[in-house]
Amino acid sequence: MIKRLFIGAMVCLTFSVAVADEGMWLPNLISERIKDMRSMGFKLKASDIYSDSKASLKDAVVQFGGGCTGEFISDQGLLLTNHHCGYGSIQKLSSVEHDYLTYGYWAKSLKEELPVPGLTVTLLVRIEDVTERLASGESADSIISKVIKEGDYVAEIEPMYYGNQHYLFVYQRYRDVRLVGAPPSSIGKFGGDTDNWMWPRHTGDFSIFRVYAGKNNEPVDYSEDNVPYRPKRHFKISTKGVEEGDFTMIYGFPGNTQEYVISDAVDYVVNKANPMKIALRTMRLEIISAAQEKDAAVRIAYAAKHASIANAWKKWQGESLGLTRLNTIAKKQKQEKEFAVWAAGRTEYATLLDSMHKAYKKVIPAYFKRELFYESVAAIEAYSIAIHLRNASAKVEAGAMKVEELNSLRSSLLKNYNKEIDSAIANCMLKELLARMPSEALPKSFKEAVDSCGGVNNYVEQLFGATKLLDSNTALTCELVNSDSFIAFVSMFIDMAKEARSYAFRNISNVPAIEQWYRPYMKALREWQSERIFYPDANFTLRVAYGTVTGYENVDGEYHTHLTTLDGIIAKDNPEIYDYDIPQELRDIYARKDFGRWAVDVNGRKTVPVCFQASNHTSGGNSGSPVINAKGELVGINFDRTWRSTMSDMEFDPSICRNISVDIRYVLFVMDKIGKAEYLFDELGM
């Protein structure tokens, strides 16, 4: 797979050094940071973190699914990640009869580990700087083809510093991944959306999987004959805990940061995009939550959907508040004025900012339409179902699929679908689309259809009432699919969807019309600010971040310490609130003070550590990342940031930005006392 690749006047840049806490560093270049890391207490060498020639810590870290990180903790492919990363898989395996979301799941042997269809784990093999190869005229296709010929590899070429450098990432993707253990959601998701992005935190956000391979340790599809994968390296677990000031390192796949964007990008996020997205997701969440409260089956079916919608929804709120508090727009504008003075006497940079401002002004309307489309029309689940069925119907007509397979696909798409919920969402979203989208940008056929029905309410009622695609009792034929009311609805938005896909870039600043100016801008920044911290923006490639265990001053006179404990869980416990209703077994354990070897002394009392915070620079994608100590031992699993840290994707504030991790001792405590997973402790040598 080749990700976005722009080849122009590519210049290899050596960026200036950084202070601790801030930064997401490429592991193959970590030797440039090792002196600073060791000054903070780190004991290992750069080659222990990353090496092409020997086993290193990078061989113990994986991409989990499509957007998280995981880590091996045994030589038999046992893998830790977050509960919220495994949530979709757990939900997929759950039913009312086997409600693994609510009650958890613990395999007692290899035979009881549950295969998760479609789940993959991706291991990094190596990183290679290919900037000069591309500049010399070698094509990206040629480079990747050579890698694929080496073996069962997946290769991607990623731009860094807006295309001033390019790196080849070579991976192996394992396709047989099985659920081993998961705590009840009342532990793994304790606090729910209320506590999400907040501190103090008391969430046992972990789940356990195992990667399986062929007999030669190679990636293969699921088979009962597969055997546990044997990683080159796995993390040793430390139960010594963490203290204020201890060194910590995060090793994972952060998804997206925008450190170097100009004020136009920040203004777009704070004042245009985030307010719209927050408002529309609030409506969707209210509809889903109300339905979940009424029906246990709906609660399970929509659990992963609700969590997915809510995660970004709350993050965007914190991001906007943080960027406003830091006055980031004004800071950027001040920097731009100073840059313009410096650039005025340099022909290659003199008009650069003018070009960037003009590019944003031109792109913003179209990019906003894209985001509004995906938050409104594309948020209607039946819209996506109709597209899948339309495409499958075309395959049936072409002889590439049987009609029985078409009906089977429909059944799978409707497995966790509720027509009443979706129609209510459609009603709200289409009203918002009409209110927020410029009238000239709306499909004429859609406006006419709404008008002819006398408004959105009647139109949605008619749309959902007429469709047969959502009726599992009606056998599908190609003729039925092609003439369905929802296929007509999809057809109305073909042009809008096509335009939205043409702007399918990670951020507005990555739209080519804008990004072309960031390549020279990054080069100019380096010349102008030779002492500034420069590190590549996150783009879901493997990175190292490091800092220290630390609390922070939340508000004047209110200091948040670095650690939370089981005492805090008991204090929040409320059987009348789903997200705070802990298992009775945990209440009994606490009452008996049956903490076993996981007990620690905190302020003169025996308890169990739950979560800790540190100053590591993280982003989305770092969920599930291993948190390691100065000796390279696993002490926690990263799962969140504090709400006031979410602006760190655009501006990192070392005084307030904190990542949140579940303490590995709480993970082990739950495995032991709740999961009673004795055979796993034998495997871990504990």
Side-chain angles (χ1 to χ4, degrees):
M1 176 182 177
I2 306 174
K3 290 196 174 179
R4 296 176 303 99
L5 182 61
F6 302 106
I7 306 173
M10 293 177 291
V11 181
C12 286
L13 304 179
T14 302
F15 293 96
S16 54
V17 298
V19 295
D21 303 332
E22 182 177 3
M24 298 178 176
W25 308 99
L26 288 167
N28 57 316
L29 302 178
I30 201 62
S31 58
E32 299 173 6
R33 307 300 313 151
I34 206 69
K35 182 178 179 181
D36 189 50
M37 296 172 71
R38 292 181 71 85
S39 73
M40 297 172 62
F42 190 58
K43 305 298 184 185
L44 304 184
K45 299 178 293 185
S47 60
D48 294 318
I49 296 174
Y50 178 92
S51 176
D52 289 330
S53 59
K54 69 170 188 175
S56 60
L57 293 180
K58 68 107 165 130
D59 299 306
V61 184
V62 305
Q63 287 182 359
F64 182 85
C68 284
T69 303
E71 54 273 0
F72 290 118
I73 55 171
S74 85
D75 60 2
Q76 294 296 306
L78 197 64
L79 185 79
L80 282 179
T81 189
N82 287 152
H83 184 267
H84 78 260
C85 292
Y87 201 71
S89 298
I90 301 166
Q91 185 256 348
K92 185 182 292 186
L93 298 171
S94 293
S95 63
V96 174
E97 295 77 20
H98 300 285
D99 188 355
Y100 303 139
L101 283 177
T102 298
Y103 301 108
Y105 179 80
W106 302 94
K108 302 304 180 183
S109 67
L110 293 176
K111 290 183 178 180
E112 292 186 8
E113 295 175 356
L114 304 178
V116 184
L119 179 60
T120 62
V121 158
T122 305
L123 287 67
L124 178 67
V125 177
R126 70 175 188 271
I127 306 173
E128 180 184 342
D129 188 338
V130 295
T131 308
E132 292 186 2
R133 291 172 64 181
L134 292 168
S136 68
E138 188 174 359
S139 72
D141 286 336
S142 174
I143 292 172
I144 290 188
S145 294
K146 290 175 182 177
V147 171
I148 293 174
K149 289 176 182 178
E150 295 176 11
D152 191 1
Y153 295 130
V154 177
E156 300 174 354
I157 291 179
E158 295 282 5
M160 303 291 168
Y161 307 111
Y162 289 95
N164 281 291
Q165 290 178 260
H166 289 85
Y167 284 87
L168 171 71
F169 292 80
V170 180
Y171 301 99
Q172 283 190 305
R173 184 160 293 149
Y174 284 78
R175 304 182 295 276
D176 185 355
V177 186
R178 307 182 193 182
L179 176 65
V180 176
S185 286
S186 53
I187 290 177
K189 201 173 179 289
F190 181 80
D193 295 329
T194 303
D195 282 5
N196 191 21
W197 301 103
M198 306 301 285
W199 185 264
R201 199 66 175 276
H202 302 86
T203 310
D205 198 348
F206 77 94
S207 54
I208 310 171
F209 292 80
R210 192 185 304 277
V211 178
Y212 281 74
K215 289 183 169 51
N216 295 319
N217 219 31
E218 76 279 15
V220 291
D221 292 330
Y222 168 80
S223 169
E224 291 183 359
D225 296 328
N226 291 346
V227 295
Y229 170 73
R230 302 181 301 281
K232 295 179 182 178
R233 182 82 175 255
H234 66 276
F235 285 104
K236 178 183 178 182
I237 292 174
S238 171
T239 58
K240 293 181 180 179
V242 294
E243 299 293 341
E244 183 94 16
D246 284 355
F247 174 90
T248 54
M249 178 181 127
I250 298 281
Y251 210 168
F253 292 86
N256 181 35
T257 58
Q258 306 178 69
E259 173 66 24
Y260 308 110
V261 293
I262 62 174
S263 58
D264 305 61
V266 184
D267 181 70
Y268 173 76
V269 167
V270 173
N271 295 316
K272 194 168 181 67
N274 280 3
M276 176 273 292
K277 293 188 288 188
I278 292 166
L280 268 62
R281 291 202 175 199
T282 298
M283 298 173 193
R284 290 161 62 192
L285 288 169
E286 288 175 348
I287 292 168
I288 293 171
S289 296
Q292 286 179 308
E293 289 178 6
K294 296 177 182 178
D295 191 318
V298 172
R299 175 177 54 76
I300 294 171
Y302 274 74
K305 297 175 189 178
H306 187 286
S308 177
I309 297 167
N311 190 51
W313 166 77
K314 193 165 185 177
K315 185 260 187 183
W316 291 327
Q317 294 176 63
E319 178 180 64
S320 293
L321 288 171
L323 292 171
T324 300
R325 178 183 66 84
L326 291 174
N327 208 14
T328 304
I329 296 173
K331 287 181 185 177
K332 295 278 186 180
Q333 291 171 338
K334 180 176 182 294
Q335 175 184 285
E336 289 155 26
K337 289 180 180 179
E338 294 170 352
F339 175 85
V341 171
W342 173 85
R346 294 164 174 81
T347 304
E348 68 271 38
Y349 304 136
T351 62
L352 184 55
L353 278 176
D354 289 338
S355 297
M356 297 177 82
H357 293 316
K358 289 177 183 177
Y360 274 105
K361 186 176 182 180
K362 184 176 181 180
V363 169
I364 280 174
Y367 199 83
F368 180 77
K369 285 193 293 183
R370 171 190 183 270
E371 297 207 272
L372 176 56
F373 170 77
Y374 281 116
E375 291 295 331
S376 58
V377 177
I380 301 168
E381 200 170 350
Y383 172 85
S384 298
I385 292 172
I387 291 175
H388 282 297
L389 295 178
R390 181 197 63 187
N391 295 342
S393 177
K395 291 181 180 179
V396 172
E397 290 179 323
M401 180 183 282
K402 296 179 180 179
V403 70
E404 292 81 8
E405 293 176 289
L406 173 65
N407 281 274
S408 177
L409 172 63
R410 194 260 303 272
S411 296
S412 66
L413 291 171
L414 295 181
K415 180 183 178 184
N416 294 308
Y417 178 76
N418 183 291
K419 186 176 178 180
E420 183 179 350
I421 292 173
D422 200 31
S423 62
I425 288 174
N427 204 337
C428 285
M429 294 305 99
L430 294 181
K431 287 177 181 176
E432 290 298 313
L433 178 72
L434 286 167
R436 295 172 183 268
M437 185 73 76
S439 180
E440 65 274 12
L442 288 166
K444 182 180 178 181
S445 57
F446 170 66
K447 291 189 291 184
E448 290 175 347
V450 172
D451 289 342
S452 68
C453 289
V456 172
N457 288 353
N458 292 338
Y459 174 70
V460 170
E461 183 178 355
Q462 179 177 304
L463 178 66
F464 278 83
T467 183
K468 299 297 182 183
L469 301 186
L470 308 177
D471 181 4
S472 58
N473 295 319
T474 300
L476 293 180
T477 64
C478 293
E479 182 180 1
L480 188 151
V481 170
N482 295 335
S483 62
D484 192 83
S485 61
F486 246 105
I487 298 300
F489 177 77
V490 167
S491 298
M492 292 176 183
F493 291 94
I494 284 178
D495 290 340
M496 186 177 286
K498 183 178 179 180
E499 183 181 6
R501 287 194 298 273
S502 72
Y503 285 91
F505 300 95
R506 192 166 62 251
N507 303 298
I508 190 171
S509 302
N510 300 114
V511 175
I514 295 174
E515 188 174 66
Q516 63 176 322
W517 302 111
Y518 273 106
R519 290 195 290 279
Y521 183 62
M522 287 299 304
K523 182 174 179 290
L525 284 182
R526 191 254 176 173
E527 293 179 23
W528 177 47
Q529 299 178 320
S530 59
E531 299 302 318
R532 184 180 174 183
I533 304 165
F534 284 93
Y535 48 86
D537 277 327
N539 55 3
F540 203 48
T541 56
L542 189 60
R543 303 296 180 90
V544 171
Y546 59 94
T548 57
V549 175
T550 181
Y552 69 99
E553 186 176 11
N554 184 46
V555 294
D556 183 33
E558 182 183 301
Y559 185 80
H560 284 180
T561 59
H562 72 279
L563 188 70
T564 61
T565 69
L566 186 56
D567 295 359
I569 292 177
I570 299 302
K572 288 182 175 180
D573 177 31
N574 187 338
E576 296 182 2
I577 302 175
Y578 178 76
D579 287 332
Y580 294 98
D581 182 14
I582 64 173
Q584 182 60 43
E585 188 174 11
L586 186 57
R587 297 187 186 104
D588 296 341
I589 290 169
Y590 185 82
R592 299 192 306 266
K593 297 296 185 285
D594 181 21
F595 305 146
R597 53 177 164 158
W598 318 114
V600 297
D601 186 89
V602 176
N603 298 326
R605 68 182 187 280
K606 293 294 183 182
T607 188
V608 179
V610 175
C611 295
F612 65 88
Q613 59 178 346
S615 60
N616 304 100
H617 194 176
T618 61
S619 182
N622 274 127
S623 291
S625 294
V627 185
I628 65 176
N629 63 16
K631 296 180 180 179
E633 300 166 327
L634 187 68
V635 293
I637 311 170
N638 180 77
F639 70 91
D640 208 352
R641 285 173 282 174
T642 58
W643 201 40
R644 296 181 68 185
S645 302
T646 54
M647 79 296 175
S648 63
D649 289 347
M650 302 189 88
E651 182 178 359
F652 186 89
D653 180 358
S655 71
I656 202 74
C657 287
R658 300 290 182 265
N659 67 295
I660 303 173
S661 305
V662 57
D663 195 301
I664 198 65
R665 293 170 293 179
Y666 187 57
V667 173
L668 297 171
F669 166 79
V670 173
M671 287 170 60
D672 181 14
K673 297 296 183 176
I674 302 296
K676 299 176 175 58
E678 292 85 358
Y679 91 99
L680 292 180
F681 285 96
D682 293 338
E683 182 176 339
L684 297 174
M686 303 181 67

